[in-house]
Amino acid sequence: MGITDRKEREKQEMRKLIIDAAMEMFIEVGYDKTSIRSIADKIEYSPATIYLYYKDKDELLYEVQGEAFDRLHKHFLKEVTAADPLERLEQLLAAYMTFGLKHPDLYDLMFILRSPMKAVEEEEAWPNCDKEYNFLIDIVKGCIDKLRFTDPMIAATTIWSLGHGIISLYIRGRYKVSKLPDEQIKEMMWQTAKAHIELIKR
Amino acid sequence: MGITDRKEREKQEMRKLIIDAAMEMFIEVGYDKTSIRSIADKIEYSPATIYLYYKDKDELLYEVQGEAFDRLHKHFLKEVTAADPLERLEQLLAAYMTFGLKHPDLYDLMFILRSPMKAVEEEEAWPNCDKEYNFLIDIVKGCIDKLRFTDPMIAATTIWSLGHGIISLYIRGRYKVSKLPDEQIKEMMWQTAKAHIELIKR
DNA sequence: TTTATTTTCTAAACACCGTTTAGTAAATTT
DNA sequence: AAATTTACTAAACGGTGTTTAGAAAATAAA
């Protein structure tokens, strides 16, 4: 049945059209200004049409999150180039942080916002992030003998949590409490990350 | 002028009435269900009245955040009891985490949500958090010679960032990527915190 | 080719939200 | 007792996510 195939293809193309528009708006005008209505406007369809392809906004955002993770992964592949696992770990943390600083709205969607996670609220998994999580775990395993940890999972969790803590506190303006000017705050963040890396080396 | 005094007093009482209602709703039904309209309902005034006492929702939330920080401070004073600064640091991190796990919606307001920070967006300060930040800094300074850091500020930033990273990744469901059941995730979080404390000791 | 059926789309409405405006009622001053 | 200031709210504005009922287009059947 050729027609059924084409219809299925067209359906997928429409879904792609929607999330691409959403992604573009996310980067250009930010999360707050990205509404179902504004996405519909951009692709020149009515808001109701979007609901023929996505059950609700959460589901749509989950798919956009997936795209954002693809971008993060490309960023990792570009930035994490060393052969030595310990060096790779340093590069990974740095790449994680630069991504967050460069695309705060995508970072929000990936690691802070509640909405996109409602799609996996029932499950004990989160496939969107699998690749990047394994990327981290593999690197840590590769140099676990050079780290002051016995369990790779704990080691990975400290690094991720610290990186996320630094970026999210900055993005949400909480380092203001230090009363430092923005540029000194950024410097402190990098020093903190560096200090942690030095700390975990055996 | 006695009447002016009473009027001023009544104005402050009304402001208190509003933020107390907001705080209660925050804890009982969560942020999402706490609207200006629902707060107005609770205190049996019209929504418009709230705008006679607060310029907008952000300003109101900033005040509720202040109350939340008072609660955090009381929690600290109750939990951080040791005399030894290093022990105090451990207790502080643990207290920070237990507060976040016990009151995720207040934690949101204090450390994650954008809205309340709009009140201090222009400034390079954040008075609501001053007391708790100094609490941390003072403890770190008290044991800096026993830590593998030279700068107390960097030491403090690692601890805060790690604690925040752990709690916020958990609250927003991101540790799901590990595919562990909830109870094992919690165990991992505590082990991660403990590992970090061991790591920073000289 | 014409009719019937299925699929695709949207206008309009619903129920919420934060916020403003215009006007009423109460308290205070003259 | 009248004039003025203060405290309050009903109603509206423009926004949100989402649903419904019906039109238009594409496909299948006659």
Side-chain angles (χ1 to χ4, degrees):
Chain A
M1 207 40 151
I3 288 175
T4 319
D5 289 356
R6 173 173 57 76
K7 289 251 161 134
E8 179 57 30
R9 219 183 319 128
E10 281 172 356
K11 187 155 192 164
Q12 293 310 320
E13 276 165 15
M14 187 65 165
R15 286 175 66 99
K16 190 86 191 348
L17 184 71
I18 294 168
I19 59 167
D20 282 355
M23 172 67 101
E24 221 174 288
M25 297 202 64
F26 248 82
I27 292 174
E28 279 167 23
V29 303
Y31 173 72
D32 290 342
K33 283 175 187 157
T34 306
S35 62
I36 296 284
R37 280 174 160 86
S38 67
I39 296 168
D41 253 27
K42 196 181 174 80
I43 60 172
E44 295 176 297
Y45 280 83
S46 88
T49 301
I50 290 177
Y51 287 88
L52 299 174
Y53 298 89
Y54 292 98
K55 122 170 182 294
D56 57 25
K57 198 187 181 184
D58 298 334
E59 197 181 286
L60 199 167
L61 289 183
Y62 185 78
E63 295 255 317
V64 180
Q65 190 194 63
E67 289 274 304
F69 269 107
D70 284 349
R71 295 203 182 201
L72 178 62
H73 199 72
K74 276 179 198 156
H75 183 73
F76 280 172
L77 294 181
K78 201 171 64 196
E79 300 290 326
V80 183
T81 54
D84 175 51
L86 205 56
E87 234 174 282
R88 287 176 71 78
L89 195 59
E90 280 186 61
Q91 289 180 331
L92 180 61
L93 179 58
Y96 184 90
M97 287 173 60
T98 52
F99 188 88
L101 292 172
K102 202 179 211 170
H103 300 295
D105 281 283
L106 293 185
Y107 191 90
D108 251 34
L109 192 63
M110 292 188 277
F111 299 110
I112 302 180
L113 295 181
R114 279 219 168 82
S115 176
M117 299 309 277
K118 281 173 190 161
V120 294
E121 205 147 64
E122 311 299 315
E123 293 118 271
E124 273 169 1
W126 177 32
N128 268 353
C129 184
D130 275 351
K131 252 199 303 188
E132 288 66 38
Y133 185 68
N134 290 329
F135 196 85
L136 167 62
I137 294 279
D138 288 345
I139 292 177
V140 170
K141 277 183 181 163
C143 59
I144 190 70
D145 55 312
K146 290 186 183 95
L147 299 179
R148 299 170 70 217
F149 289 99
T150 48
D151 185 351
M153 195 130 163
I154 301 291
T157 308
T158 33
I159 292 180
W160 182 22
S161 303
L162 184 90
H164 170 70
I166 292 172
I167 295 304
S168 59
L169 284 174
Y170 176 74
I171 286 181
R172 300 308 179 94
R174 264 58 177 192
Y175 284 136
K176 278 186 181 206
V177 71
S178 72
K179 296 186 177 68
L180 295 173
D182 187 74
E183 125 215 6
Q184 277 183 48
I185 287 177
K186 282 231 183 75
E187 203 186 305
M188 191 187 65
M189 288 161 59
W190 286 109
Q191 279 184 33
T192 301
K194 200 186 152 123
H196 186 73
I197 291 286
E198 290 307 313
L199 224 52
I200 63 175
K201 286 185 191 168
R202 186 173 291 279
Chain B
M1 205 41 152
I3 288 177
T4 318
D5 289 357
R6 173 173 57 76
K7 289 253 161 133
E8 180 55 31
R9 220 184 316 127
E10 282 172 354
K11 187 155 194 165
Q12 292 311 320
E13 277 164 14
M14 189 63 167
R15 285 176 67 98
K16 189 89 192 347
L17 184 71
I18 294 167
I19 58 167
D20 282 357
M23 173 68 103
E24 221 175 286
M25 296 203 65
F26 248 82
I27 292 173
E28 279 167 22
V29 303
Y31 173 72
D32 290 343
K33 283 175 187 158
T34 306
S35 62
I36 296 284
R37 282 173 156 88
S38 67
I39 296 168
D41 254 25
K42 196 182 174 82
I43 61 172
E44 296 177 296
Y45 280 84
S46 88
T49 300
I50 290 178
Y51 287 87
L52 299 174
Y53 297 89
Y54 292 98
K55 125 171 181 291
D56 56 24
K57 199 188 180 183
D58 298 333
E59 196 181 287
L60 199 167
L61 288 184
Y62 185 78
E63 295 256 316
V64 181
Q65 189 194 65
E67 289 274 302
F69 270 106
D70 285 350
R71 295 202 181 199
L72 178 62
H73 199 73
K74 275 179 197 154
H75 183 72
F76 280 172
L77 294 180
K78 202 172 63 197
E79 300 290 325
V80 182
T81 54
D84 175 51
L86 206 56
E87 234 175 283
R88 286 176 71 78
L89 196 59
E90 279 187 60
Q91 289 179 330
L92 180 62
L93 179 58
Y96 184 88
M97 287 173 61
T98 52
F99 187 88
L101 293 173
K102 203 180 212 167
H103 300 294
D105 281 283
L106 293 186
Y107 191 89
D108 250 35
L109 192 63
M110 293 188 278
F111 299 109
I112 302 181
L113 294 181
R114 279 219 169 82
S115 178
M117 299 308 277
K118 281 173 189 161
V120 293
E121 206 148 64
E122 312 299 316
E123 293 119 274
E124 272 168 1
W126 178 32
N128 268 352
C129 184
D130 275 352
K131 250 198 304 187
E132 288 66 37
Y133 186 67
N134 290 329
F135 197 85
L136 167 62
I137 294 280
D138 286 347
I139 291 177
V140 170
K141 277 183 180 162
C143 58
I144 190 69
D145 56 312
K146 290 188 183 92
L147 299 178
R148 300 170 72 219
F149 289 98
T150 47
D151 184 352
M153 194 131 164
I154 301 291
T157 307
T158 35
I159 291 179
W160 182 22
S161 303
L162 185 90
H164 170 70
I166 292 172
I167 295 304
S168 60
L169 284 175
Y170 175 73
I171 286 180
R172 300 308 179 92
R174 263 59 176 192
Y175 283 136
K176 279 185 180 204
V177 71
S178 72
K179 296 186 177 67
L180 295 172
D182 187 75
E183 127 214 2
Q184 278 184 48
I185 287 177
K186 281 233 183 73
E187 203 185 304
M188 190 186 65
M189 288 159 59
W190 286 110
Q191 279 184 34
T192 302
K194 201 188 150 125
H196 186 72
I197 291 285
E198 289 308 313
L199 225 51
I200 64 175
K201 285 185 190 165
R202 188 172 288 280

